[in-house]
Each structure stands twice: as structure tokens, then as C-alpha cells.
Amino acid sequence: MRLIIFSTISLLILSSCQSNENDVEPDDNTEEETVESSDESGNDRTSEEKASNEQPETNGSSEAPTEEDANSEKEGEGTASPEESGDDSSNPAATSFDIHSDEVQQALFDSGSVETENLTFSQDVITKGMSQSEVEERYGPYDWIYPGHGSPVVIYGNLGVNYSEVFPYGTNDEQADEDINPDENIVVDVKFYAGLPYDEVVDALGAPDVDVYETEGGPVSGLQLMEYIIEDKEESTITGTFWLHDNESGEKIVDLMTVDEVPDHTEESTVREPQGSEDVSEDEEERMKAFISNYTDDLTNYYNNDEEDILTFTREQSPNYDKISANKASGNYRNHRTYDVDVIDIKNNETNEYEVTVARNYEHISSNGKRTTVVEYTIVNTPQGFMIYDYEEIDNEPGY
């Protein structure tokens, strides 16, 4: 009887244990699936690590972007506009124009540029009407200022810019002016600037039609030029003229290029025949007024020995400089002050020569008070901008 009871109890215990084992079986299966999945993932990572370890150590990092990441980055680059990315806000390389390029050479020798605007190098990077702020936000600060006589040319890569305020805004350059508002300093002309040795330019463009020579006499004497014929028309010839200088080692360096239309009856291509008085454009008028204003300011400083930047406006070999240097040497122009300047008239008598009549109210140590002088200036428009060649005093009387 005791044996029967023990057997019955043992059977009940064994049944209970089997029931418990069946209850936990699904959990065990779940764990097995999870582990199995984890093992597969681990195998994938191990394969990637092996592949990464097989790469040369010179790669520097095993965290190379995946193809999916690379494609994602490319898509991002393709959709970002210049305004969003700001990439073109400082891109000095955009102002570089390789003279060996067919595209650049075609732009240099485009006769149509004369019909639209003389002396302009046609391109879409820096164009007339842009402000200095706009130019430098896109392409960075200017590289340097071409040593001009009157209107310095501001160099950005291979582009030379004339601004409406004559000088550029700047704080660390003698030919810049920190009082100029760069938002209102407007591009009025753009030229090509080579900045290359003569041999390299000739290698790219071929031998010039008129090789290097130095001008003699007149307002533009003492300049080194060479010329290419762009188009030979019935009564005139369109020429591209490069200006050159000798560097410290005596090597000839090619600078700015200008485009001119020269009448065929001219004996020499550098002589400009009178064409009668022509209307002056609004841009020219504004530039001329700004030029005269800056010149009279610096003339006052010149007489007072405060600054000697006068050669920015006139050549040392010119009648104008001879006269003002004699005035200064006399000592009669000390304590000079200029009160008012008025540009009365501007006439464009030749392709690059202007007759400008100016009234100026001034006084100095020997003037016996304020006086008003009326002066007629001969001003030449060079690739560097306006330059005073000579002047004649028309009237001088007590001022106000």
C-alpha cells in the first residue's frame, strides 16, 4: 500500500516538471532566435572589419564613407545654391583668367567690345554696376592697386577695376580711402590684367603686330606699349594695346590691356586725332568730378607738406607737375586751404583727352585772403585712369 502511494506521488511530481518545461519552451526558442540573429549581425560586422583591415594603412582611417553616404553628400552639393552655401562669397579663383585659354583669347580680341564700351574686358565675373562690397563679398579683397596716375586700377586676379569714387575703400593702402562707402563705390570699367613676363604672353598670343616701344611727347610719353590688331576696318583699325613695365631685374612684365579704335589716316597708332567735342557720359562725368575733388584735396596736402601722394594724379614728367612743384618750392603756397570746388565744364576733345574747367575757392600764406581761381585742365584717360597733364589759369580774383 505504501509503495502504491509513493508511486502515485512520484508520478504526479514527474508530470508537474514536464508541464513546467513545456511552459518555458517558447521563451527558450525566442532567446535562440535572438542569439541567432545577433550572431548573423556579428558575422556581418566581422566581415566589414576584415575588409577594413585589409585596406592599406596609408588610408589613415578605417572610417571611410559608405557609398550611400557619398551619394548623399553629392546630392547635397548638387542641390545647394550659391546663396545657401555661400561658396561664391569668397572665391578669388573666379577672377583668374588664363591667357593661354582659347575662351580668354576670344574675349580679349572681341572687336564688339569697342562698340559697347571702350576698354572693357567682357566676362561675367565682375561687371559694370557692381559695388565694391558686392565684388569683395564674392571674390575676397583686392590683391593690390595698380600704381595709377589719377584713377588707380584695383586688381582682382586677372581683372583690373576702375571704381566710381576713383579710389577703392581700404585702410592699409596709400591709394585706398577709408572714408569711401564701399556700398556706393561702383564698378565703371573692367580691364584684363596679365601680370606675366613678356615671353609668356607672346608664347600665348603670338608676336604683337607692333612690338614693344616707348611713347614720346604729349600727355602719355614715357610709356611702354605693344599692340595687336583685332580688326582692320575700312577707315579705322581696332587695336588691343598692352602696357608694360620693367621689374627690378629688368624683365619686361605685361600689365593691362586696353582696346582702341584708331583712324587709318593716323601716322602712328599711338596718336589720337581730334574728333571734335563729344558728349560725356554720366559715368565719365561722375568719375571726373570725383577725380577733381580728390586731386584738389591732395594738392592742398602737397603744398602743406602733409602728404606727397600727388603723383597719383599727375606724372612727374608733365607740365602740370613742373608748375605745381615750382609753386611749392617758392614757399608762397604754404598754409594752403581749399574751401569749394566746382566743375564748370567737361569736354571730350579726343579719344582719351578731356578739357575740364574748374572753379576753386582757396587761400594760402600769400593770397591776402580767399580767392577764386578758374583753371582749365588737360586731363588724359590712361589705362590707370585719369591723369592731369597740364593746366592753364583762366581767371583769378578775390573770393568770398
Side-chain angles (χ1 to χ4, degrees), residues 148-282:
H149 297 270
S151 182
V153 180
V154 186
I155 304 297
Y156 300 88
N158 294 115
L159 300 179
V161 174
N162 285 123
Y163 282 113
S164 60
E165 294 295 324
V166 181
F167 297 96
Y169 165 79
T171 57
N172 298 317
D173 198 303
E174 290 183 357
Q175 295 197 74
D177 188 342
E178 61 183 4
D179 295 327
I180 288 175
N181 183 347
D183 295 334
E184 299 176 357
N185 202 15
I186 306 303
V187 175
V188 295
D189 199 11
V190 183
K191 305 174 178 69
F192 176 79
Y193 173 75
L196 295 170
Y198 167 84
D199 290 340
E200 186 170 344
V201 173
V202 171
D203 180 63
L205 303 181
D209 296 288
V210 181
D211 212 343
V212 180
Y213 62 95
E214 186 170 306
T215 59
E216 298 179 2
V220 289
S221 62
L223 301 178
Q224 294 187 60
L225 308 174
M226 68 179 185
E227 301 176 8
Y228 288 88
I229 295 177
I230 296 176
E231 183 180 355
D232 191 2
K233 303 170 74 173
E234 287 188 9
E235 297 182 356
S236 63
T237 302
I238 298 176
T239 61
T241 301
F242 279 103
W243 300 60
L244 303 89
H245 76 277
D246 292 332
N247 63 14
E248 294 180 356
S249 62
E251 183 181 27
K252 291 196 181 302
I253 304 298
V254 180
D255 299 319
L256 295 163
M257 178 182 175
T258 62
V259 179
D260 295 285
E261 187 167 0
V262 183
D264 284 345
H265 61 270
T266 304
E267 292 182 2
E268 294 184 11
S269 58
T270 56
V271 178
R272 306 291 187 253
E273 290 294 320
Q275 299 175 339
S277 179
E278 296 182 1
D279 292 335
V280 177
S281 69
E282 290 184 8

Side-chain angles (χ1 to χ4, degrees), residues 86-133:
D87 287 344
D88 76 333
S89 63
S90 183
N91 184 18
T95 62
S96 297
F97 290 84
D98 185 3
I99 200 170
H100 300 85
S101 161
D102 290 340
E103 183 179 359
V104 170
Q105 292 179 15
Q106 288 173 6
L108 286 175
F109 297 112
D110 177 16
S111 59
S113 64
V114 176
E115 300 172 5
T116 55
E117 183 63 33
N118 196 26
L119 309 181
T120 294
F121 175 58
S122 300
Q123 36 70 45
D124 297 325
V125 177
I126 300 179
T127 56
K128 291 180 62 176
M130 294 174 65
S131 68
Q132 184 180 351
S133 295

Side-chain angles (χ1 to χ4, degrees), residues 67-80:
E67 182 177 351
E68 181 178 354
D69 292 336
N71 290 337
S72 176
E73 289 178 4
K74 288 180 181 179
E75 289 175 4
E77 291 174 359
T79 57

